[in-house]
Amino acid sequence: MLTILKLYREGFNEKVSIGESIEYLGEKYIIIRILEINKLYFSKSISLTVRVLVQKVGALSDYYNCKREVIVDNRYDQSKDDKRIIKIGDIIFPEKGIAYEVVSINRFRYEFVDLVVEYSVRLIVPWSKEEINEALKDERRSTFKVLEGGKV
């Protein structure tokens, strides 16, 4: 299952990387994409918010039944103007846990007051169980400390 989370990092020693695991609401997730980094300007120290695409560890995805590339129409009611227009590179979730990346805007048209935009989107393939386990193993290895030992 894929989802987007927003992380907060403060200080010069903080980092975020693909393959890193994070805990959220008692569940473990692996970061599979970094989507956006924003600097918070009204902070006492360096502060960043980071939007990431994460995959829940142990959750199986039904993405095999999904098409790799599809055309999606999105309707925006121009009289309300309350919905942000999707841009190229945005991640959308037409089904729960299944993510697509917008690769192009093909056309747009008006139907009365609705703006109808046609997008081409590409499936984001979740990491395999092996890839997730390898990332978790690498993360565990990086936390080990080498202790000086005496000769026996």
Side-chain angles (χ1 to χ4, degrees):
M1 175 193 287
L2 302 178
T3 192
I4 293 175
L5 296 178
K6 187 180 274 190
L7 308 177
Y8 175 78
R9 297 292 187 254
E10 186 171 330
F12 289 105
N13 293 327
E14 293 294 323
K15 68 176 184 68
V16 173
S17 58
I18 292 176
E20 177 181 338
S21 71
I22 57 174
E23 295 275 335
Y24 177 69
L25 296 176
E27 302 284 349
K28 187 170 250 184
Y29 293 86
I30 296 288
I31 298 171
I32 64 171
R33 283 198 185 178
I34 298 173
L35 303 174
E36 184 178 22
I37 302 169
N38 288 310
K39 182 177 178 187
L40 299 176
Y41 289 98
F42 301 105
S43 176
K44 293 180 182 179
S45 67
I46 186 73
S47 298
L48 302 172
T49 58
V50 184
R51 283 183 60 239
V52 293
L53 181 66
V54 296
Q55 182 173 340
K56 187 175 180 181
V57 174
L60 299 177
S61 175
D62 194 22
Y63 79 94
Y64 295 107
N65 298 328
C66 299
K67 293 183 179 179
R68 299 284 185 195
E69 292 191 16
V70 292
I71 304 295
V72 174
D73 282 345
N74 213 349
R75 185 175 296 272
Y76 304 93
D77 184 346
Q78 296 299 288
S79 66
K80 294 181 183 173
D81 196 33
D82 60 348
K83 190 172 164 186
R84 182 177 91 64
I85 295 177
I86 296 170
K87 298 184 280 186
I88 294 174
D90 283 354
I91 306 296
I92 63 170
F93 295 87
E95 299 176 39
K96 184 176 179 179
I98 304 295
Y100 284 86
E101 180 177 13
V102 176
V103 293
S104 71
I105 298 171
N106 301 332
R107 66 185 182 131
F108 67 90
R109 66 187 184 283
Y110 280 97
E111 291 180 4
F112 191 55
V113 295
D114 289 353
L115 173 67
V116 180
V117 182
E118 179 185 281
Y119 300 97
S120 289
V121 297
R122 184 177 305 132
L123 178 70
I124 297 175
V125 178
W127 283 15
S128 68
K129 188 176 181 178
E130 292 78 22
E131 289 173 304
I132 290 175
N133 288 339
E134 187 65 30
L136 291 172
K137 189 165 67 174
D138 288 346
E139 188 174 60
R140 282 192 299 269
R141 267 193 232 132
S142 71
T143 60
F144 286 138
K145 303 233 187 263
V146 177
L147 302 175
E148 287 186 40
K151 292 184 180 180
V152 180

